[in-house]
Amino acid sequence: MSALLRGPFGRRALHSLAAPYALDALAPPEHRRFERHLRGCDRCAAEVRALREDAVRLACSTAVAPPPALRERILAAVRTTPQEPVPQPSRSRPGRGPGRARAARPSPLLVPLTTLTAAAALVVAALFGVQAARTQDALDRERARASEIAHVLAAPDARASAGRDARGGGLAVVASAERRSAVVTATGLAAPGNGRVHQLWLVRPGAKPHSLGLLDGDTPLVATGLGTDATSLAVTVEPRGGSEQPTTSPIVQLALENVGFGE
Amino acid sequence: MEGGRRPPRGGGNTGEAEELLARVARGDQRAFEELYAVVSGPVFGLVRRVVRDPAQSEEVAQEVLLELWRCAARYDPGRGSALSWVLTVAHRRAVDRVRSARAAGERERREGRRAHGPAFDQVAEEVEAGLEREWVRRCLDRLTALQRQSVTLAYYDGYTYREVAERLSLPLGTVKTRMRDGLARLRHCLGGAV
């Protein structure tokens, strides 16, 4: 006789949990117990699937368009967030991933951090790529840069934002208003053309744009000493070596209010 | 209004989300943008309904949507529609959040109506959602009061069935049955697949 037939959670009692389960109305211990039962009960699985589809009808009736800023944040995060490669055979819900491969990842309950960590991973990868053949001086500069990047990413007020140009090229920023620093990464911008470069500008109200430097592919650029009155970042195409002031109109511009500036 | 079943849901979402998820699983960022357009409204609306707090709702929705990107490969078409999978994940996360908030005594109790009449602004709502909302509302009205309360306290407010039983002063068995019958009646009234 199966152990399932005995005790307070006998087979029939377990079956009756299908509806609460479909409504996510089981406390964790019962939830786990029912999921174990589900694995060996095709009839329950079919019933749960049907009940879930019913519950989803309740969900669809609540649809509301999210704020546009959410889209920007998520698409920016997607550009730097690695995907889980292998489908999980169990019916565990996403986020409860395999341990080792993702051990260094924060829990899925901390997505703002996930975003930042993913950005950090990209930054670190880019740094390694760039560091390959540099002199000691250059390496020291890179280290200082990496250190500042780490500080920005670790700042308690660090926030991420992203913007895109008409062709889908983008500018992603992680900034700390407290540290007055930002890490800026360009991805997918159209090549600036022969003898021309991408130059990054800080835009403030009532002041001329201030050059933050030239963008080198998708190597992150660290901007320090930012005033909290900074309202946006802009990228223009300039002659090689850059310009004192922008000579063309921006190909992409990103407001900084989402990352704690411009107040 | 008059009886009869609801015609199958319009909007062409069925099948589209499945295909998009498959492309997203292969790392296609454009497909993710399209998927976002399809599912972000339902995900955000549901999370907002359960979590209530706007800032926390955004956080949970972000978590869920980013997880779709990371874990798209986990979707198994054999287990139901893509939208159903997405919303199941979203609901689970929203309920986790609201329960931990409750456990920590954080949940604000500024309470409006619950099963009907959403508390948030309706400016950005899609027409499709409006129609669906109206149908669901009508069908919920056809349930008995106990069926309706059992289903909505669990699904929209994130209570466990034990908590629902306590709130309604009903035996556990009765609540489980009301939940199952309520969902079955909803299915009959709404008809069609998601």
Side-chain angles (χ1 to χ4, degrees):
Chain A
M1 182 183 276
S2 159
L4 283 169
L5 292 176
R6 296 193 296 267
F9 291 102
R11 190 177 287 278
R12 185 180 294 172
L14 277 167
H15 278 321
S16 74
L17 292 181
Y21 175 79
L23 291 166
D24 286 324
L26 294 179
E30 274 177 308
H31 185 92
R32 283 193 295 274
R33 208 171 284 131
F34 186 77
E35 288 205 323
R36 274 200 303 275
H37 170 68
L38 258 185
R39 268 171 230 146
C41 175
D42 289 344
R43 191 161 66 83
C44 307
E47 190 184 357
V48 162
R49 193 182 318 157
L51 289 166
R52 277 247 145 108
E53 299 281 346
D54 299 334
V56 163
R57 301 301 293 267
L58 290 170
C60 288
S61 73
T62 65
V64 174
L70 183 70
R71 180 176 187 276
E72 292 308 320
R73 279 207 305 280
I74 289 172
L75 295 185
V78 156
R79 279 196 282 275
T80 54
T81 302
Q83 289 180 294
E84 189 182 89
V86 192
Q88 295 304 296
S90 81
R91 51 172 55 84
S92 64
R93 32 179 223 277
R96 298 158 83 206
R100 249 203 329 264
R102 311 189 312 129
R105 284 253 195 93
S107 101
L109 284 174
L110 297 170
V111 160
L113 271 184
T114 306
T115 309
L116 295 184
T117 309
L122 178 84
V123 165
V124 170
L127 286 177
F128 275 121
V130 170
Q131 279 185 1
R134 293 271 170 109
T135 63
Q136 189 59 44
D137 269 7
L139 274 179
D140 286 346
R141 278 201 303 277
E142 288 296 343
R143 282 205 189 103
R145 210 162 72 92
S147 160
E148 183 56 29
I149 289 173
H151 280 299
V152 172
L153 295 174
D157 69 331
R159 288 158 78 182
S161 183
R164 290 180 305 154
D165 69 8
R167 289 200 204 86
L171 203 54
V173 61
V174 179
S176 160
E178 229 160 69
R179 273 195 85 78
R180 305 178 64 186
S181 290
V183 180
V184 185
T185 311
T187 49
L189 291 181
N194 228 356
R196 303 183 79 79
V197 292
H198 284 139
Q199 191 165 2
L200 182 69
W201 306 92
L202 183 70
V203 182
R204 289 165 299 167
K208 287 181 177 169
H210 168 67
S211 174
L212 293 174
L214 306 180
L215 288 166
D216 177 13
D218 59 2
T219 305
L221 191 150
V222 186
T224 53
L226 303 179
T228 49
D229 61 339
T231 51
S232 67
L233 296 171
V235 177
T236 62
V237 175
E238 301 295 337
R240 181 177 296 150
S243 307
E244 284 287 309
Q245 281 296 304
T247 60
T248 59
S249 49
I251 53 170
V252 58
Q253 193 155 5
L254 175 63
L256 290 174
E257 59 181 354
N258 287 336
V259 290
F261 285 82
E263 282 147 11
Chain B
M1 297 277 282
E2 79 274 58
R5 292 167 147 238
R6 205 218 135 152
R9 210 171 116 90
N13 287 354
T14 313
E16 188 187 351
E18 282 76 7
E19 197 198 309
L20 289 172
L21 256 181
R23 283 169 54 202
V24 169
R26 295 194 294 270
D28 185 336
Q29 296 188 6
R30 291 249 178 267
F32 182 82
E33 289 186 32
E34 289 176 50
L35 182 69
Y36 184 94
V38 175
V39 304
S40 64
V43 165
F44 183 68
L46 176 62
V47 169
R48 182 114 191 224
R49 181 63 173 264
V50 175
V51 174
R52 307 271 169 136
D53 176 78
Q56 288 202 43
S57 301
E58 249 186 75
E59 240 176 84
V60 174
Q62 176 171 336
E63 182 184 303
V64 169
L65 290 161
L66 199 49
E67 216 167 290
L68 286 189
W69 164 255
R70 278 185 23 226
C71 306
R74 290 186 181 198
Y75 168 60
D76 173 3
R79 287 216 201 97
S81 73
L83 189 61
S84 164
W85 180 69
V86 169
L87 289 172
T88 299
V89 172
H91 189 257
R92 185 73 225 163
R93 287 268 178 276
V95 162
D96 283 349
R97 175 64 64 100
V98 88
R99 282 190 196 152
S100 54
R102 245 178 228 146
E106 288 169 10
R107 199 180 188 215
E108 297 169 32
R109 277 257 158 249
R110 50 185 168 77
E111 190 67 329
R113 294 157 295 168
R114 39 181 87 235
H116 314 297
F120 33 81
D121 69 348
Q122 315 219 349
V123 180
E125 272 167 37
E126 299 154 27
V127 177
E128 169 67 15
L131 287 174
E132 182 75 5
R133 187 188 306 264
E134 182 55 25
W135 268 97
V136 169
R137 195 188 63 74
R138 242 182 251 170
C139 289
L140 277 172
D141 279 345
R142 295 207 188 156
L143 308 190
T144 68
L146 285 183
Q147 286 171 346
R148 186 171 53 247
Q149 285 169 315
S150 299
V151 167
T152 58
L153 278 173
Y155 197 74
Y156 287 144
D157 297 300
Y159 288 106
T160 65
Y161 80 100
R162 288 173 189 277
E163 289 167 329
V164 172
E166 222 166 274
R167 292 175 75 89
L168 300 179
S169 307
L170 289 173
L172 288 176
T174 309
V175 168
K176 288 189 278 189
T177 312
R178 296 295 173 273
M179 284 176 173
R180 198 189 59 224
D181 295 349
L183 284 176
R185 204 186 271 202
L186 259 187
R187 181 189 317 168
H188 179 77
C189 175
L190 288 165
V194 176

